Amino acid sequence: MNRPAEIAIRKGKATAPFYAAASALHAYLTTLSTEALLNENGRREQIKLNDGRIGTIAVVIESENEGSLFVVVQGFLPGKLLWFIKHAYVDGFRKLKDGTVVELESDELYGYD
């Protein structure tokens, strides 16, 4: 991920395991073949932090024209002091038919956070 505003959010020690798990899942998905990626659609993981909060990380995969896949990893973690505020992780990539991975831009992720 190369979006500076989101990097600044990750500086908190309490939320670091949540963002690390979401980033690791994103990195893992980029290594999979197109066929294997299709099996990951709808995958959900829960991460329990030391302070008791439970974050959810989900995978959304959409088929695009010409055999490419649109892959989004999205995660939500409730705020510690204000329950109605959530930390969000959203990142994704496009897996082209030839296996090339192209990271998504922020505007392509609109609607997933």
Side-chain angles (χ1 to χ4, degrees):
M1 240 167 96
N2 56 1
R3 292 175 269 290
E6 294 162 341
I7 291 169
I9 293 171
R10 296 190 199 160
K11 290 184 179 176
K13 288 181 183 178
T15 59
F18 169 73
Y19 289 110
S23 294
L25 179 57
H26 176 268
Y28 166 73
L29 292 173
T30 61
T31 65
L32 297 179
S33 67
T34 302
E35 296 78 26
L37 270 174
L38 291 172
N39 295 329
E40 298 292 330
N41 191 23
R43 177 177 177 175
R44 296 180 93 69
E45 293 184 5
Q46 289 191 331
I47 306 297
K48 185 170 183 178
L49 301 183
N50 291 337
D51 61 12
R53 291 182 289 168
I54 297 175
T56 303
I57 303 169
V59 177
V60 178
I61 300 175
E62 300 172 1
S63 295
E64 293 187 317
N65 55 358
E66 300 179 15
S68 64
L69 296 176
F70 185 86
V71 181
V72 176
V73 177
Q74 59 183 9
F76 297 100
L77 176 68
K80 187 173 182 178
L81 300 176
L82 302 172
W83 58 270
F84 54 87
I85 294 178
K86 293 183 179 182
H87 298 274
Y89 174 96
V90 181
D91 202 5
F93 60 92
R94 196 171 262 111
K95 183 85 162 194
L96 304 180
K97 191 174 184 177
D98 66 359
T100 305
V101 173
V102 179
E103 294 292 327
L104 298 176
E105 296 295 326
S106 295
D107 60 340
E108 294 177 286
L109 295 167
Y110 180 79
Y112 289 96
D113 55 353

